[in-house]
Amino acid sequence: MMQNVHLAPETDEDDLYSGYNDYNPIYDIEELENDAAFQQAVRTSHGRRPPITAKISSTAVTRPIATGYGSKTSLASSIGRPMTGAIQDGVTRPMTAVRAAGFSKTALRGSAFDPLGQSRGPAPTLEAKKKDSPEEKIKQLEKEVNELVEDSCIASSCGDLKLALEKAKDAGRKERVLVRQREQVTTPENINLDLTYSVLFNLASQYSVNEMYAEALNTYQVIVKNKMFSNAGILKMNMGNIYLKQRNYSKAIKFYRMALDQVPSVNKQMRIKIMQNIGVTFIQAGQYSDAINSYEHIMSMAPNLKAGYNLTICYFAVGDREKMKKAFQKLIAVPLEIDEDKYISPSDDPHTNLVTEAIKNDHLRQMECERKAMAEKYIMTSAKLIAPVIETSFAAGYDWCVEVVKASQYVELANDLEINKAVTYLRQKDYNQAVEILKMLEKKDSRVKSAAATNLSALYYMGKDFAQASSYADIAVNSDRYNPAALTNKGNTVFANGDYEKAAEFYKEALRNDSSCTEALYNIGLTYEKLNRLDEALDCFLKLHAILRNSAEVLYQIANIYELMENPSQAIEWLMQVVSVVPTDPQVLSKLGELYDHEGDKSQAFQYYYESYRYFPCNIEVIEWLGAYYIDTQFWEKAIQYFERASLMQPTQVKWQLMVASCFRRSGNYQKALDTYKDTHRKFPENVECLRFLVRLCTDLGLKDAQEYARKLKRLEKMKEIREQRIKSGRDGSGGSCGKREGSASGDSGQNYSASSKGERLSARLRALPGTNEPYESSSNKEIDASYVDPLGPQIERPKTAAKKRIDEDDFADEELGDDLLPE
């Protein structure tokens, strides 16, 4: 076995690698089979060796053993191995295990080798932690507090502010319990300050969003005054926000400045935001000079759009023209930091084109579009604000703004300013200048041309020049087929010509291009209403109501459609919503009164008619209904004031003065009634009814004027008969037929009523009365003789709708007569 071993010379002291392969011979197990002593020990005593002492030197025969590198080492026998911890050759032997790994004293001869102890089965389970220990209770309580804080934040982000506040309060209560338990178990230094801070901060935030400002301020004070919380002073900005909401501007500015002192100078963005809040507070407090100082500092340090816009407003408020111009130029010069070139594909590479298409509508692109839209809004608003005041005229001011915009990165806004200039001319009713500017813009590119033509179309449509409106609407549509305003204007011109189906198509196309075009949706609802497609019209207005929740026009249209669908209860409900939005609209109030009158609820109808009259006392239909209502309830004095107002509004209508006179007579004021009749006769000397009432009233009062009025009455009746005969003869000569005018109950207009014919007269009149849902007017013209008849009979039922109720002269002569027919 040793024949292949080559020993290196021992005298080679210059070998650089000597000693690298030397190791303790105890660990050499390759030659254990040839070790006679080891084999004998294994066979006789199962590895047990007799005890040896450190004093007895080893007697085992050493033999050299070869290594792969030719080094020569002596291997001692296991019997002669030095004792653990003994000193041999000046070196202390390291300590070893008392028992060999995988072996035990109780092992049987011939047992399988199992150093890992797998035959003994699985390891016993770990000992469970005691749940009732103070440490475990504290950890569990911390976990619950964290979960409550997270739930509160999630509820607040979802809009459930009440639940968020309840969760925050629960977290605060449990956190206080946690602090007390920690103080009992550990030292105060081990308290979790981060958890306490998060709980208090979340609680203060939830108080603030729930508008519980006093509680929020108290909670913020607890955080700020605690010196153990680092960087808590920045929360004074939140306290300043609360004071700003409470309009306590002095304290808001104080806390903003305290927060500004807490922010280091390296945190520039935070300092700029706090200074913007200070500027806003100064603006709301009306201290524009202080606000200007804040915004000027911001524009010099880190210019931004909001600061530039607010600075322009401040200079406008103080009326400094030159500073307004400079502030507007600073606003224009604020960089947008938007790279439009990256959305343009530079080559025909398909991969590059796909990447470009993918990023055109990503979130970053949307943010950039929003930023650009905000910048354009600020610039346009500032220009419209300062243009009328920076120069001697608003036209010169607009021209200056246009020149500044053209020299900036917002070149496309120049045309929009020109359109605003034309709109300003429209507001000043200078239509010629507006049309001239719009026609100049009509020669621009397609977008501007479409906008100008759209405005021209609307302008001509409002002037009822539908031909020009249609022509410019066509130009706008051809320039930009996807312009919803142009399509809506085109639909309006078609609607005005009565082609409702075609108008509906234009409105639908406008909605397809822009689903948020409320004008098109409103107009298509009106179109369906004209086409009697009430269900579709109702759907359109309900959709519009979902977009415009408080639009009185939309609510009124929904109520109107329900009325057309003969659903008055729903119509009343929607009109009540209209009243909640515009409580002083007399037309809506009168419509509610009309619907309640239809339903037979006179008290509610009177309430809304009276409110309508109070806000607009010139609606003749409302005045007439109120006068008739007081007549029905026999409050003659109150009815007089309404009929007198009606006579002032319509002085050529004799019926109102006759109604006033009749009310005076029914109230017992005969002298006032006689004076009113005489005054009416002077104004209307050919009125037969007035003379008849004068004859009867003078006869009852025993006045001599009765005979004079009787002669005038006969003369007027003869003239009336001659006129009617001429008309009848003319009609007979032309082949026409004219029925005999229906007269009194006896058929003779000149015959006096007698007591025996009174019952027949009343029966005929009751049969001729209109129903409850019919208009208050007679079906034929009737004449009455000279006997006095009171026009206000208690048995006459009043009309149900104010829109249909009328009192004509012939109606007054017949239908308004009462049952007190007195014979002469």
Side-chain angles (χ1 to χ4, degrees):
M1 177 178 176
M2 302 296 294
Q3 59 185 354
N4 295 325
V5 177
H6 302 279
L7 300 176
E10 297 180 357
T11 60
D12 189 7
E13 298 178 355
D14 297 329
D15 187 4
L16 296 176
Y17 300 99
S18 61
Y20 283 96
N21 293 325
D22 294 341
Y23 56 93
N24 196 331
I26 297 173
Y27 301 111
D28 188 3
I29 62 174
E30 294 180 356
E31 298 295 330
L32 289 179
E33 295 179 357
N34 301 325
D35 190 348
F38 179 79
Q39 296 297 332
Q40 181 65 25
V42 171
R43 285 194 299 268
T44 57
S45 60
H46 298 284
R48 292 194 296 269
R49 292 182 291 275
I52 59 175
T53 61
K55 296 180 180 180
I56 303 175
S57 60
S58 175
T59 58
V61 180
T62 60
R63 58 184 181 275
I65 185 169
T67 63
Y69 296 95
S71 62
K72 182 170 62 177
T73 310
S74 297
L75 177 61
S77 169
S78 61
I79 297 177
R81 185 177 64 179
M83 183 179 178
T84 300
I87 300 175
Q88 186 178 6
D89 299 333
V91 179
T92 304
R93 182 177 180 273
M95 299 294 290
T96 60
V98 177
R99 293 166 56 185
F103 296 93
S104 65
K105 295 180 180 180
T106 59
L108 299 176
R109 184 186 299 272
S111 61
F113 179 75
D114 188 15
L116 299 179
Q118 296 179 358
S119 62
R120 289 175 294 181
T125 58
L126 297 175
E127 184 180 358
K129 295 181 179 179
K130 296 181 180 180
K131 295 183 178 179
D132 55 349
S133 63
E135 292 79 6
E136 288 300 321
K137 289 182 178 179
I138 289 173
K139 289 182 180 180
Q140 185 64 28
L141 197 55
E142 278 188 357
K143 183 179 179 181
E144 293 178 2
V145 172
N146 280 318
E147 289 178 352
L148 285 172
V149 172
E150 292 178 0
D151 293 341
S152 174
C153 296
I154 293 173
S156 179
S157 63
C158 294
D160 194 349
L161 303 180
K162 185 177 181 181
L163 177 62
L165 181 59
E166 292 298 327
K167 295 285 186 181
K169 288 181 179 179
D170 292 341
R173 286 191 289 266
K174 289 192 175 182
E175 194 273 335
R176 287 191 293 271
V177 174
L178 174 63
V179 170
R180 286 195 295 268
Q181 291 186 3
R182 277 190 177 277
E183 290 176 350
Q184 295 174 1
V185 175
T186 61
T187 59
E189 289 78 7
N190 295 328
I191 295 176
N192 192 346
L193 292 177
D194 293 337
L195 182 62
T196 304
Y197 180 88
S198 62
V199 169
L200 291 174
F201 179 67
N202 179 61
L203 181 60
S205 300
Q206 301 309 325
Y207 276 134
S208 179
V209 296
N210 282 275
E211 297 182 358
M212 301 172 66
Y213 298 130
E215 292 82 355
L217 289 172
N218 292 334
T219 309
Y220 278 126
Q221 285 286 358
V222 172
I223 302 174
V224 171
K225 290 183 178 180
N226 194 336
K227 302 300 182 180
M228 300 179 68
F229 295 139
S230 60
N231 300 325
I234 193 65
L235 294 182
K236 292 181 179 179
M237 184 175 66
N238 294 12
M239 300 175 69
N241 292 338
I242 294 176
Y243 282 120
L244 180 61
K245 292 178 182 177
Q246 293 180 334
R247 300 181 182 275
N248 192 344
Y249 302 121
S250 59
K251 281 193 174 182
I253 293 172
K254 174 184 175 181
F255 276 90
Y256 283 143
R257 287 177 171 169
M258 293 169 65
L260 188 63
D261 295 337
Q262 297 291 329
V263 178
S265 58
V266 295
N267 198 345
K268 184 184 295 185
Q269 291 296 327
M270 179 60 70
R271 294 181 64 87
I272 291 298
K273 290 181 179 179
I274 296 176
M275 293 187 68
Q276 283 184 341
N277 288 3
I278 293 174
V280 170
T281 309
F282 277 129
I283 290 177
Q284 294 191 9
Q287 302 177 18
Y288 299 110
S289 300
D290 296 328
I292 287 172
N293 294 332
S294 298
Y295 287 123
E296 284 285 2
H297 179 72
I298 294 172
M299 294 301 290
S300 62
M301 298 295 295
N304 60 77
L305 293 170
K306 290 185 179 179
Y309 175 69
N310 289 335
L311 182 60
T312 308
I313 291 177
C314 290
Y315 280 127
F316 175 80
V318 298
D320 194 334
R321 294 184 177 182
E322 296 300 324
K323 294 293 182 64
M324 272 188 270
K325 291 182 179 180
K326 292 181 179 179
F328 184 73
Q329 290 173 343
K330 290 180 180 179
L331 175 61
I332 291 285
V334 173
L336 276 179
E337 299 178 356
I338 297 176
D339 185 13
E340 296 288 348
D341 296 335
K342 64 184 176 183
Y343 301 108
I344 302 175
S345 180
S347 63
D348 295 334
D349 184 12
H351 179 70
T352 306
N353 294 336
L354 288 176
V355 173
T356 304
E357 290 294 330
I359 66 175
K360 277 186 177 179
N361 292 318
D362 62 354
H363 293 292
L364 179 60
R365 175 61 172 168
Q366 293 175 4
M367 290 176 60
E368 290 177 348
C369 291
E370 291 176 0
R371 179 178 174 82
K372 185 176 180 181
M374 182 180 67
E376 292 178 353
K377 178 183 177 182
Y378 286 157
I379 292 171
M380 293 294 295
T381 306
S382 300
K384 290 189 289 186
L385 183 67
I386 68 174
V389 296
I390 58 177
E391 298 291 345
T392 55
S393 65
F394 84 92
Y398 267 108
D399 292 338
W400 182 88
C401 293
V402 168
E403 293 299 325
V404 173
V405 170
K406 284 182 178 179
S408 68
Q409 55 185 332
Y410 305 98
V411 182
E412 64 275 6
L413 294 182
N415 295 322
D416 295 336
L417 284 175
E418 292 284 356
I419 293 177
N420 284 329
K421 182 179 178 182
V423 173
T424 307
Y425 274 121
L426 288 177
R427 290 174 180 170
Q428 295 182 356
K429 297 183 179 181
D430 192 349
Y431 302 111
N432 296 328
Q433 288 289 341
V435 171
E436 182 180 352
I437 294 175
L438 292 173
K439 287 184 177 180
M440 289 174 59
L441 294 174
E442 190 182 353
K443 302 175 184 178
K444 300 287 184 177
D445 57 6
S446 60
R447 185 185 68 86
V448 179
K449 181 179 181 180
S450 178
T454 301
N455 287 316
L456 284 170
S457 175
L459 184 60
Y460 282 116
Y461 181 83
M462 289 186 292
K464 299 187 182 303
D465 190 350
F466 300 126
Q468 288 284 356
S470 179
S471 175
Y472 280 105
D474 290 334
I475 294 174
V477 171
N478 294 332
S479 301
D480 185 4
R481 187 69 187 182
Y482 299 99
N483 185 356
L487 293 168
T488 302
N489 285 349
K490 180 61 179 176
N492 291 343
T493 58
V494 177
F495 184 93
N497 294 327
D499 193 352
Y500 303 121
E501 293 287 351
K502 191 175 181 181
E505 293 298 325
F506 281 108
Y507 295 141
K508 288 179 182 178
E509 187 175 356
L511 288 174
R512 283 193 296 268
N513 294 333
D514 183 8
S515 58
S516 62
C517 184
T518 55
E519 294 84 1
L521 190 57
Y522 185 88
N523 291 347
I524 199 173
L526 295 179
T527 306
Y528 285 144
E529 184 179 341
K530 288 287 186 181
L531 294 172
N532 202 26
R533 294 155 62 175
L534 300 180
D535 292 333
E536 298 179 43
L538 183 61
D539 291 339
C540 291
F541 286 118
L542 289 176
K543 290 178 182 178
L544 193 57
H545 174 61
I547 301 173
L548 307 174
R549 302 296 300 180
N550 295 324
S551 174
E553 294 84 358
V554 176
L555 294 172
Y556 186 83
Q557 290 298 333
I558 295 174
N560 184 41
I561 291 175
Y562 274 120
E563 183 185 4
L564 295 175
M565 296 171 71
E566 298 180 357
N567 191 347
S569 60
Q570 283 291 331
I572 290 174
E573 180 178 349
W574 285 95
L575 282 176
M576 293 296 292
Q577 296 187 38
V578 180
V579 172
S580 66
V581 176
V582 281
T584 60
D585 192 317
Q587 188 66 28
V588 177
L589 293 170
S590 65
K591 190 67 176 179
L592 268 173
E594 179 183 342
L595 290 175
Y596 275 116
D597 196 9
H598 266 300
E599 294 297 303
D601 193 345
K602 291 283 187 180
S603 60
Q604 286 289 342
F606 170 75
Q607 176 184 350
Y608 287 108
Y609 272 123
Y610 181 76
E611 288 295 317
S612 175
Y613 172 79
R614 192 162 62 90
Y615 289 116
F616 184 66
C618 298
N619 190 336
I620 195 66
E621 295 179 351
V622 174
I623 293 173
E624 185 176 353
W625 192 95
L626 289 172
Y629 174 81
Y630 281 119
I631 288 174
D632 287 341
T633 54
Q634 298 184 2
F635 287 98
W636 317 107
E637 294 83 359
K638 291 186 176 181
I640 290 172
Q641 61 178 345
Y642 293 103
F643 291 128
E644 285 180 344
R645 178 172 290 275
S647 65
L648 292 175
M649 293 176 58
Q650 295 180 347
T652 59
Q653 296 288 334
V654 67
K655 59 183 178 182
W656 305 121
Q657 300 182 19
L658 293 177
M659 293 296 292
V660 171
S662 181
C663 289
F664 277 126
R665 198 207 71 79
R666 294 294 294 178
S667 63
N669 195 344
Y670 297 105
Q671 185 61 42
K672 192 68 175 178
L674 181 61
D675 295 339
T676 306
Y677 279 129
K678 289 181 178 180
D679 185 59
T680 304
H681 176 65
R682 284 193 298 270
K683 294 179 180 178
F684 305 95
E686 295 185 356
N687 187 268
V688 177
E689 287 76 14
C690 182
L691 283 171
R692 289 174 180 167
F693 296 141
L694 277 172
V695 169
R696 184 57 194 160
L697 189 56
C698 290
T699 303
D700 292 341
L701 294 176
L703 300 177
K704 299 179 180 180
D705 297 338
Q707 298 297 327
E708 180 182 355
Y709 290 128
R711 287 194 300 270
K712 292 182 179 180
L713 178 61
K714 290 180 180 180
R715 184 168 61 252
L716 284 176
E717 287 178 347
K718 289 181 180 179
M719 292 174 59
K720 191 173 183 179
E721 289 178 2
I722 295 172
R723 189 182 302 113
E724 289 179 354
Q725 289 177 0
R726 289 177 180 174
I727 295 173
K728 183 178 180 180
S729 61
R731 290 179 180 176
D732 292 340
S734 61
S737 61
C738 179
K740 181 178 179 181
R741 180 177 178 85
E742 185 178 356
S744 62
S746 62
D748 187 359
S749 60
Q751 182 178 356
N752 293 335
Y753 286 104
S754 62
S756 61
S757 63
K758 179 179 179 180
E760 297 177 0
R761 166 67 177 171
L762 289 176
S763 299
R765 283 189 22 63
L766 290 174
R767 287 194 301 269
L769 285 177
T772 57
N773 293 325
E774 297 177 2
Y776 195 86
E777 58 184 2
S778 60
S779 57
S780 60
N781 296 324
K782 300 181 180 181
E783 296 180 2
I784 300 179
D785 58 1
S787 62
Y788 177 78
V789 181
D790 190 295
L792 302 173
Q795 86 285 3
I796 300 298
E797 185 174 1
R798 288 295 159 185
K800 297 295 182 183
T801 60
K804 295 182 178 180
K805 181 164 57 179
R806 298 186 300 275
I807 303 179
D808 299 327
E809 293 184 14
D810 292 332
D811 300 335
F812 180 81
D814 187 14
E815 296 295 342
E816 292 287 345
L817 297 181
D819 59 348
D820 53 342
L821 305 177
L822 302 176
E824 291 189 5

